[in-house]
Amino acid sequence: MFEFITDFLKEHGYLGLFALMVLENVFPPIPSEVIVPFAGFVAAHGELHLAGVLLAGTLGSVVGALPWYYAARAYGAKRLKRAAARHGRWLALTCGDVDKALHAFDRHGGKAVLFGRLVPALRTLVSLPAGIAAMKLPTFLLLSALGSLAWTALLAATGFVLKDQYEHVAEFVDPVSKAVLGLLLSWYLYRVATWKPGAGT
């Protein structure tokens, strides 16, 4: 995993990082917790610039949040729940997930978007209530960008600071990252197999 991602980032640079972060937010193929520290490591060796990593990672994260925001804004709560009831199996999204996201937004408003971008399990879901509540796009973009920048900076700094030691750390990180991906895949397959529309349809 270490060599695959670092080689990919070395070959495709900022555009590759941007694309991975977009995908990570729309439908996580590889979590940002794995992608961005490796980008920081590549930057520490001079093949990318740290500022470019922060910019590409943040932009990718924000752009990846927009499809869910626009879908929620266009559909509204009731139609989104109906869509979840019909197609949610493959998105691992239930009506209950929509309700939870709405409840968090009702309680915390814009803070839910800002701080939700720092929480792996909520990074995608926070776009839903923001869209349903028709949060102004500039406000959504600003809060998403600030939260995403903080998250990207934290992860990139980990790989950047470790620098030469990162290859040694990778001996431990590599099997852990594979285990994380395996768990995510298992979780997704479990959600698909046991998915139910839930209440509120």
Side-chain angles (χ1 to χ4, degrees):
M1 183 62 65
F2 172 78
E3 290 185 359
F4 169 75
I5 296 179
T6 52
D7 288 346
F8 180 87
L9 292 172
K10 288 176 183 177
E11 181 176 353
H12 300 286
Y14 304 116
L15 184 59
L17 175 59
F18 171 83
L20 287 176
M21 292 300 286
V22 170
L23 289 174
E24 189 260 342
N25 281 269
V26 175
F27 179 78
I30 302 175
S32 57
E33 296 89 336
V34 175
I35 301 167
V36 183
F38 287 166
F41 166 78
V42 174
H45 285 264
E47 298 183 62
L48 292 174
H49 195 283
L50 186 59
V53 168
L54 296 180
L55 180 61
T58 300
L59 284 176
S61 184
V62 173
V63 170
L66 288 175
W68 290 107
Y69 169 83
Y70 278 118
R73 186 160 184 164
Y75 275 78
K78 290 184 179 180
R79 291 178 63 192
L80 189 62
K81 287 182 185 180
R82 287 200 294 269
R86 184 175 299 177
H87 306 293
R89 177 184 298 275
W90 307 110
L91 297 173
L93 180 70
T94 68
C95 296
D97 291 331
V98 177
D99 285 331
K100 288 176 183 178
L102 286 171
H103 179 65
F105 190 82
D106 287 340
R107 289 185 61 190
H108 304 291
K111 292 180 182 178
V113 176
L114 176 62
F115 294 105
R117 302 299 297 167
L118 299 168
V119 182
L122 297 177
R123 284 170 57 77
T124 297
L125 286 178
V126 293
S127 300
L128 297 176
I132 290 171
M135 173 182 275
K136 292 182 179 179
L137 182 59
T139 302
F140 175 75
L141 291 176
L142 176 62
L143 293 173
S144 295
L146 290 174
S148 298
L149 177 60
W151 181 242
T152 302
L154 177 64
L155 295 177
T158 302
F160 190 86
V161 170
L162 286 173
K163 206 172 182 179
D164 294 332
Q165 289 77 30
Y166 206 79
E167 291 188 15
H168 299 294
V169 175
E171 296 177 7
F172 303 96
V173 172
D174 200 48
V176 171
S177 63
K178 288 178 181 177
V180 169
L181 291 177
L183 287 172
L184 287 174
L185 179 60
S186 299
W187 171 85
Y188 174 71
L189 293 175
Y190 173 79
R191 287 289 297 262
V192 169
T194 62
W195 180 87
K196 294 179 181 179
T201 56

